[in-house]
Structure formats: structure tokens, C-alpha cells
PDB file of all heavy atoms in Angstrom:
ATOM      1  N   ALA A   1      96.715 104.111  97.545  1.00  0.00           N
ATOM      2  CA  ALA A   1      96.865 102.979  98.461  1.00  0.00           C
ATOM      3  C   ALA A   1      97.575 103.427  99.736  1.00  0.00           C
ATOM      4  O   ALA A   1      97.202 103.024 100.848  1.00  0.00           O
ATOM      5  CB  ALA A   1      97.645 101.854  97.788  1.00  0.00           C
ATOM      6  N   THR A   2      98.586 104.271  99.587  1.00  0.00           N
ATOM      7  CA  THR A   2      99.293 104.811 100.755  1.00  0.00           C
ATOM      8  C   THR A   2      98.345 105.603 101.635  1.00  0.00           C
ATOM      9  O   THR A   2      98.343 105.471 102.860  1.00  0.00           O
ATOM     10  CB  THR A   2     100.450 105.721 100.290  1.00  0.00           C
ATOM     11  OG1 THR A   2     101.425 104.937  99.597  1.00  0.00           O
ATOM     12  CG2 THR A   2     101.122 106.410 101.473  1.00  0.00           C
ATOM     13  N   ARG A   3      97.532 106.440 101.011  1.00  0.00           N
ATOM     14  CA  ARG A   3      96.575 107.263 101.765  1.00  0.00           C
ATOM     15  C   ARG A   3      95.616 106.391 102.576  1.00  0.00           C
ATOM     16  O   ARG A   3      95.348 106.651 103.745  1.00  0.00           O
ATOM     17  CB  ARG A   3      95.803 108.156 100.797  1.00  0.00           C
ATOM     18  CG  ARG A   3      94.815 109.101 101.474  1.00  0.00           C
ATOM     19  CD  ARG A   3      94.166 110.028 100.472  1.00  0.00           C
ATOM     20  NE  ARG A   3      95.127 110.999  99.949  1.00  0.00           N
ATOM     21  CZ  ARG A   3      95.602 111.019  98.710  1.00  0.00           C
ATOM     22  NH1 ARG A   3      95.202 110.097  97.844  1.00  0.00           N
ATOM     23  NH2 ARG A   3      96.473 111.926  98.323  1.00  0.00           N
ATOM     24  N   ARG A   4      95.113 105.327 101.963  1.00  0.00           N
ATOM     25  CA  ARG A   4      94.142 104.468 102.643  1.00  0.00           C
ATOM     26  C   ARG A   4      94.789 103.629 103.745  1.00  0.00           C
ATOM     27  O   ARG A   4      94.176 103.367 104.790  1.00  0.00           O
ATOM     28  CB  ARG A   4      93.456 103.553 101.632  1.00  0.00           C
ATOM     29  CG  ARG A   4      92.623 104.295 100.601  1.00  0.00           C
ATOM     30  CD  ARG A   4      91.807 103.330  99.765  1.00  0.00           C
ATOM     31  NE  ARG A   4      91.216 103.983  98.592  1.00  0.00           N
ATOM     32  CZ  ARG A   4      90.430 103.373  97.729  1.00  0.00           C
ATOM     33  NH1 ARG A   4      90.120 102.083  97.898  1.00  0.00           N
ATOM     34  NH2 ARG A   4      89.934 104.024  96.685  1.00  0.00           N
ATOM     35  N   ILE A   5      96.018 103.207 103.534  1.00  0.00           N
ATOM     36  CA  ILE A   5      96.700 102.382 104.533  1.00  0.00           C
ATOM     37  C   ILE A   5      97.064 103.198 105.769  1.00  0.00           C
ATOM     38  O   ILE A   5      96.961 102.718 106.900  1.00  0.00           O
ATOM     39  CB  ILE A   5      97.964 101.737 103.923  1.00  0.00           C
ATOM     40  CG1 ILE A   5      97.568 100.608 102.966  1.00  0.00           C
ATOM     41  CG2 ILE A   5      98.891 101.190 105.012  1.00  0.00           C
ATOM     42  CD1 ILE A   5      98.729 100.008 102.206  1.00  0.00           C
ATOM     43  N   THR A   6      97.476 104.438 105.565  1.00  0.00           N
ATOM     44  CA  THR A   6      97.951 105.252 106.687  1.00  0.00           C
ATOM     45  C   THR A   6      96.848 106.094 107.326  1.00  0.00           C
ATOM     46  O   THR A   6      97.063 106.679 108.387  1.00  0.00           O
ATOM     47  CB  THR A   6      99.083 106.189 106.242  1.00  0.00           C
ATOM     48  OG1 THR A   6      98.607 107.065 105.198  1.00  0.00           O
ATOM     49  CG2 THR A   6     100.273 105.394 105.718  1.00  0.00           C
ATOM     50  N   ALA A   7      95.672 106.151 106.700  1.00  0.00           N
ATOM     51  CA  ALA A   7      94.611 107.043 107.176  1.00  0.00           C
ATOM     52  C   ALA A   7      93.975 106.651 108.507  1.00  0.00           C
ATOM     53  O   ALA A   7      93.667 107.530 109.315  1.00  0.00           O
ATOM     54  CB  ALA A   7      93.522 107.172 106.109  1.00  0.00           C
ATOM     55  N   PRO A   8      93.732 105.359 108.781  1.00  0.00           N
ATOM     56  CA  PRO A   8      93.023 105.001 110.013  1.00  0.00           C
ATOM     57  C   PRO A   8      93.708 105.534 111.263  1.00  0.00           C
ATOM     58  O   PRO A   8      94.943 105.535 111.357  1.00  0.00           O
ATOM     59  CB  PRO A   8      93.038 103.463 109.997  1.00  0.00           C
ATOM     60  CG  PRO A   8      93.170 103.109 108.558  1.00  0.00           C
ATOM     61  CD  PRO A   8      94.066 104.169 107.983  1.00  0.00           C
ATOM     62  N   ALA A   9      92.918 106.007 112.209  1.00  0.00           N
ATOM     63  CA  ALA A   9      93.473 106.499 113.469  1.00  0.00           C
ATOM     64  C   ALA A   9      94.229 105.367 114.168  1.00  0.00           C
ATOM     65  O   ALA A   9      93.749 104.243 114.254  1.00  0.00           O
ATOM     66  CB  ALA A   9      92.352 107.008 114.357  1.00  0.00           C
ATOM     67  N   GLY A  10      95.417 105.679 114.627  1.00  0.00           N
ATOM     68  CA  GLY A  10      96.216 104.687 115.320  1.00  0.00           C
ATOM     69  C   GLY A  10      97.042 103.796 114.413  1.00  0.00           C
ATOM     70  O   GLY A  10      97.756 102.912 114.894  1.00  0.00           O
ATOM     71  N   ALA A  11      96.982 104.027 113.106  1.00  0.00           N
ATOM     72  CA  ALA A  11      97.779 103.223 112.168  1.00  0.00           C
ATOM     73  C   ALA A  11      99.269 103.438 112.426  1.00  0.00           C
ATOM     74  O   ALA A  11      99.727 104.569 112.546  1.00  0.00           O
ATOM     75  CB  ALA A  11      97.439 103.599 110.733  1.00  0.00           C
ATOM     76  N   THR A  12     100.002 102.353 112.531  1.00  0.00           N
ATOM     77  CA  THR A  12     101.437 102.448 112.815  1.00  0.00           C
ATOM     78  C   THR A  12     102.303 102.033 111.635  1.00  0.00           C
ATOM     79  O   THR A  12     103.515 102.254 111.654  1.00  0.00           O
ATOM     80  CB  THR A  12     101.806 101.573 114.023  1.00  0.00           C
ATOM     81  OG1 THR A  12     101.449 100.215 113.751  1.00  0.00           O
ATOM     82  CG2 THR A  12     101.077 102.043 115.274  1.00  0.00           C
ATOM     83  N   VAL A  13     101.706 101.417 110.615  1.00  0.00           N
ATOM     84  CA  VAL A  13     102.485 100.969 109.458  1.00  0.00           C
ATOM     85  C   VAL A  13     103.104 102.164 108.744  1.00  0.00           C
ATOM     86  O   VAL A  13     102.480 103.219 108.611  1.00  0.00           O
ATOM     87  CB  VAL A  13     101.596 100.155 108.488  1.00  0.00           C
ATOM     88  CG1 VAL A  13     100.456 100.992 107.959  1.00  0.00           C
ATOM     89  CG2 VAL A  13     102.426  99.585 107.350  1.00  0.00           C
ATOM     90  N   LYS A  14     104.339 102.009 108.296  1.00  0.00           N
ATOM     91  CA  LYS A  14     105.043 103.055 107.566  1.00  0.00           C
ATOM     92  C   LYS A  14     105.135 102.657 106.097  1.00  0.00           C
ATOM     93  O   LYS A  14     105.322 101.478 105.779  1.00  0.00           O
ATOM     94  CB  LYS A  14     106.457 103.250 108.126  1.00  0.00           C
ATOM     95  CG  LYS A  14     106.497 103.535 109.633  1.00  0.00           C
ATOM     96  CD  LYS A  14     105.823 104.844 109.962  1.00  0.00           C
ATOM     97  CE  LYS A  14     105.805 105.089 111.468  1.00  0.00           C
ATOM     98  NZ  LYS A  14     107.146 105.145 112.070  1.00  0.00           N
ATOM     99  N   VAL A  15     104.988 103.626 105.221  1.00  0.00           N
ATOM    100  CA  VAL A  15     105.066 103.356 103.788  1.00  0.00           C
ATOM    101  C   VAL A  15     106.325 103.996 103.209  1.00  0.00           C
ATOM    102  O   VAL A  15     106.570 105.189 103.391  1.00  0.00           O
ATOM    103  CB  VAL A  15     103.822 103.899 103.046  1.00  0.00           C
ATOM    104  CG1 VAL A  15     103.978 103.710 101.540  1.00  0.00           C
ATOM    105  CG2 VAL A  15     102.565 103.192 103.530  1.00  0.00           C
ATOM    106  N   LEU A  16     107.108 103.187 102.519  1.00  0.00           N
ATOM    107  CA  LEU A  16     108.294 103.656 101.808  1.00  0.00           C
ATOM    108  C   LEU A  16     107.990 103.540 100.322  1.00  0.00           C
ATOM    109  O   LEU A  16     107.820 102.437  99.797  1.00  0.00           O
ATOM    110  CB  LEU A  16     109.512 102.802 102.171  1.00  0.00           C
ATOM    111  CG  LEU A  16     110.819 103.077 101.415  1.00  0.00           C
ATOM    112  CD1 LEU A  16     111.273 104.514 101.627  1.00  0.00           C
ATOM    113  CD2 LEU A  16     111.898 102.095 101.857  1.00  0.00           C
ATOM    114  N   VAL A  17     107.870 104.668  99.661  1.00  0.00           N
ATOM    115  CA  VAL A  17     107.505 104.690  98.248  1.00  0.00           C
ATOM    116  C   VAL A  17     108.723 104.412  97.380  1.00  0.00           C
ATOM    117  O   VAL A  17     109.778 105.018  97.548  1.00  0.00           O
ATOM    118  CB  VAL A  17     106.875 106.047  97.874  1.00  0.00           C
ATOM    119  CG1 VAL A  17     106.662 106.137  96.371  1.00  0.00           C
ATOM    120  CG2 VAL A  17     105.545 106.226  98.598  1.00  0.00           C
ATOM    121  N   LEU A  18     108.543 103.488  96.439  1.00  0.00           N
ATOM    122  CA  LEU A  18     109.601 103.135  95.492  1.00  0.00           C
ATOM    123  C   LEU A  18     109.117 103.420  94.082  1.00  0.00           C
ATOM    124  O   LEU A  18     107.997 103.054  93.723  1.00  0.00           O
ATOM    125  CB  LEU A  18     109.944 101.650  95.616  1.00  0.00           C
ATOM    126  CG  LEU A  18     110.693 101.230  96.878  1.00  0.00           C
ATOM    127  CD1 LEU A  18     110.565  99.735  97.084  1.00  0.00           C
ATOM    128  CD2 LEU A  18     112.160 101.630  96.787  1.00  0.00           C
ATOM    129  N   THR A  19     109.950 104.063  93.284  1.00  0.00           N
ATOM    130  CA  THR A  19     109.548 104.360  91.914  1.00  0.00           C
ATOM    131  C   THR A  19     110.761 104.567  91.024  1.00  0.00           C
ATOM    132  O   THR A  19     111.853 104.864  91.505  1.00  0.00           O
ATOM    133  CB  THR A  19     108.648 105.612  91.862  1.00  0.00           C
ATOM    134  OG1 THR A  19     108.193 105.813  90.528  1.00  0.00           O
ATOM    135  CG2 THR A  19     109.404 106.840  92.324  1.00  0.00           C
ATOM    136  N   THR A  20     110.552 104.407  89.734  1.00  0.00           N
ATOM    137  CA  THR A  20     111.616 104.697  88.773  1.00  0.00           C
ATOM    138  C   THR A  20     111.502 106.146  88.313  1.00  0.00           C
ATOM    139  O   THR A  20     112.374 106.646  87.618  1.00  0.00           O
ATOM    140  CB  THR A  20     111.502 103.776  87.539  1.00  0.00           C
ATOM    141  OG1 THR A  20     110.176 103.875  87.015  1.00  0.00           O
ATOM    142  CG2 THR A  20     111.786 102.341  87.915  1.00  0.00           C
ATOM    143  N   PHE A  21     110.429 106.815  88.710  1.00  0.00           N
ATOM    144  CA  PHE A  21     110.185 108.183  88.267  1.00  0.00           C
ATOM    145  C   PHE A  21     110.392 109.157  89.423  1.00  0.00           C
ATOM    146  O   PHE A  21     109.707 109.064  90.440  1.00  0.00           O
ATOM    147  CB  PHE A  21     108.751 108.327  87.731  1.00  0.00           C
ATOM    148  CG  PHE A  21     108.429 107.353  86.639  1.00  0.00           C
ATOM    149  CD1 PHE A  21     107.786 106.162  86.926  1.00  0.00           C
ATOM    150  CD2 PHE A  21     108.794 107.617  85.323  1.00  0.00           C
ATOM    151  CE1 PHE A  21     107.497 105.245  85.923  1.00  0.00           C
ATOM    152  CE2 PHE A  21     108.511 106.713  84.310  1.00  0.00           C
ATOM    153  CZ  PHE A  21     107.867 105.526  84.612  1.00  0.00           C
ATOM    154  N   ASP A  22     111.314 110.089  89.269  1.00  0.00           N
ATOM    155  CA  ASP A  22     111.584 111.046  90.339  1.00  0.00           C
ATOM    156  C   ASP A  22     110.919 112.386  90.020  1.00  0.00           C
ATOM    157  O   ASP A  22     111.532 113.441  90.095  1.00  0.00           O
ATOM    158  CB  ASP A  22     113.087 111.229  90.561  1.00  0.00           C
ATOM    159  CG  ASP A  22     113.831 111.696  89.316  1.00  0.00           C
ATOM    160  OD1 ASP A  22     113.227 111.637  88.224  1.00  0.00           O
ATOM    161  OD2 ASP A  22     114.988 112.121  89.440  1.00  0.00           O
ATOM    162  N   LEU A  23     109.636 112.331  89.647  1.00  0.00           N
ATOM    163  CA  LEU A  23     108.906 113.542  89.294  1.00  0.00           C
ATOM    164  C   LEU A  23     108.374 114.227  90.545  1.00  0.00           C
ATOM    165  O   LEU A  23     107.867 113.586  91.458  1.00  0.00           O
ATOM    166  CB  LEU A  23     107.739 113.203  88.359  1.00  0.00           C
ATOM    167  CG  LEU A  23     108.116 112.500  87.054  1.00  0.00           C
ATOM    168  CD1 LEU A  23     106.862 112.192  86.243  1.00  0.00           C
ATOM    169  CD2 LEU A  23     109.076 113.361  86.238  1.00  0.00           C
ATOM    170  N   ASP A  24     108.482 115.560  90.562  1.00  0.00           N
ATOM    171  CA  ASP A  24     108.121 116.321  91.754  1.00  0.00           C
ATOM    172  C   ASP A  24     106.710 116.027  92.276  1.00  0.00           C
ATOM    173  O   ASP A  24     106.496 115.849  93.463  1.00  0.00           O
ATOM    174  CB  ASP A  24     108.241 117.825  91.472  1.00  0.00           C
ATOM    175  CG  ASP A  24     109.665 118.246  91.171  1.00  0.00           C
ATOM    176  OD1 ASP A  24     110.591 117.559  91.599  1.00  0.00           O
ATOM    177  OD2 ASP A  24     109.833 119.272  90.508  1.00  0.00           O
TER     178      ASP A  24
END
């Protein structure tokens, strides 16, 4: 979902990922 939201040229929205899992 992050990839699709930020992919369009000129996209300005920022994504802050939240998770309970801190896996590399």
C-alpha cells in the first residue's frame, strides 16, 4: 500500500509505518 501511494509522480503524501514488529 505504501508503494502504491507514494509511487505516482508528484506524490507529496508521506507514509509513517507503524508496527509491533521490529523485524529488519
